[in-house]
Amino acid sequence: MKRIFALRSDGWGGKRIAGELNADGLPCPSAHDRCRNRHLSGAGWTAGTVLSILANTRYTGHEVWNKQSRTEVLVDPHNVSLGTRTLMRWNRREDWVTSREIAHPAIVSVADFERAQHSRALRACGRRTYLLRGLLRCGFCGRRMEGAWNNGRANYRCYHRYGGQADWPLSLSVREDTITSHLGAVLIRAIAETRQAETIIAFENVEIPRGEAEQAALCRRLGLELTYDHHGRSITAVGSRGPIVLSLR
């Protein structure tokens, strides 16, 4: 972990750091601890994994609470006997609570952590906005797709060079505007189902915003995650009554 923070402080980007760790044969977190990460492939380091480590204040020894909250929704609004299921939703970062005192042994100092947050790589990417960061998953491996800037546009990529199956492409990508142009349709169906479930009163009077940034923010608020199917050219979002599939063709 110290190496990741040191490389970031030297101006390395997340993708470059991930490539270095994979080249050295170092196991990624999900491969190192399979018992706690059976739902992840453990195929190798990604830029997303590196950036999530760099943003995690727990490595400074401070504990963080209230990062997520639970919401109960009906499995089937038309058959309440089936009970409810629990959805985990991310709270706003300003609502997180960080301990004032050291709660466990630190891996990096607060100074090194802050230096990594303000590295050249972070500043270089500061002008680039990825509306779907953390919302879009790969339909092949299930991992979150990484933001990549190309020809002045936001794109999302996934690499399968490490541990991918034989019939998977080595990499795939999709333009952000290909997805965001369909967010309104996804939200129309998701909000309709949420209202039918009658479990989240706060969404009773929600209106779908016109702006793509606001629509992406509403997806986060509703706890929606999108999966991109490269072969079928479609996106899938899991609503309160099951998958919502939209074609991108």
Side-chain angles (χ1 to χ4, degrees), residues 7 28 81 98 115 140 162-163 173 188 198-199 209 224 231 235:
L7 291 174
C28 63
S81 64
T98 303
R115 190 177 301 112
F140 284 101
Y162 307 98
S173 66
I188 288 173
E198 297 180 353
T199 56
L224 292 176
H231 280 167
I235 53 174

Side-chain angles (χ1 to χ4, degrees), residues 20-230:
E20 179 80 1
L21 299 176
N22 284 321
D24 288 349
L26 298 177
C28 63
S30 57
H32 179 74
D33 190 351
R34 294 303 299 156
C35 292
R36 295 176 57 188
N37 297 282
R38 292 190 180 96
H39 60 295
L40 299 175
S41 67
W45 289 89
T46 66
T49 302
V50 170
L51 295 177
S52 66
I53 289 173
L54 290 167
N56 193 340
T57 55
R58 296 192 75 237
Y59 291 110
T60 65
H62 293 271
E63 190 58 82
V64 182
W65 300 280
N66 200 41
K67 296 174 69 175
Q68 291 182 298
S69 56
R70 291 184 176 88
T71 300
E72 299 292 328
V73 299
L74 290 172
V75 173
D76 186 346
H78 302 290
N79 186 358
V80 296
S81 64
L82 294 178
T84 62
R85 62 190 179 96
T86 302
L87 292 179
M88 297 297 297
R89 295 195 171 106
W90 285 99
N91 297 327
R92 297 179 304 171
R93 195 174 186 89
E94 53 265 33
D95 293 332
W96 295 4
V97 179
T98 303
S99 64
R100 294 183 179 180
E101 304 295 333
I102 295 294
H104 50 261
I107 294 178
V108 296
S109 67
V110 173
D112 288 341
F113 180 85
E114 292 297 330
R115 190 177 301 112
Q117 307 311 301
H118 298 89
S119 71
R120 295 190 301 275
L122 278 176
R123 289 200 297 270
C125 295
R127 296 182 300 273
R128 299 174 180 176
T129 301
Y130 296 95
L131 300 181
L132 303 179
R133 187 182 294 279
L135 287 179
L136 192 61
R137 290 187 178 273
C138 171
F140 284 101
C141 64
R143 293 184 300 193
R144 284 189 174 89
M145 299 184 71
E146 303 168 2
W149 204 260
N150 189 25
N151 294 326
R153 297 177 182 269
N155 294 260
Y156 296 87
R157 294 177 178 173
C158 190
Y159 297 92
H160 305 122
R161 294 188 180 94
Y162 307 98
Q165 297 181 13
D167 58 341
W168 290 5
L170 291 180
S171 66
L172 61 87
S173 66
V174 60
R175 274 175 36 176
E176 181 178 84
D177 55 5
T178 301
I179 307 295
T180 53
S181 61
H182 293 79
L183 283 185
V186 171
L187 287 167
I188 288 173
R189 295 176 58 179
I191 291 176
E193 292 180 2
T194 302
R195 287 170 176 165
Q196 290 176 10
E198 297 180 353
T199 56
I200 309 177
I201 299 176
F203 295 148
E204 187 172 319
N205 298 315
V206 167
E207 293 186 1
I208 299 173
R210 293 185 179 181
E212 293 179 345
E214 291 76 13
Q215 290 177 355
L218 185 54
C219 284
R220 291 186 173 86
R221 183 181 172 192
L222 287 170
L224 292 176
E225 270 197 344
L226 309 175
T227 299
Y228 171 62
D229 180 354
H230 181 68

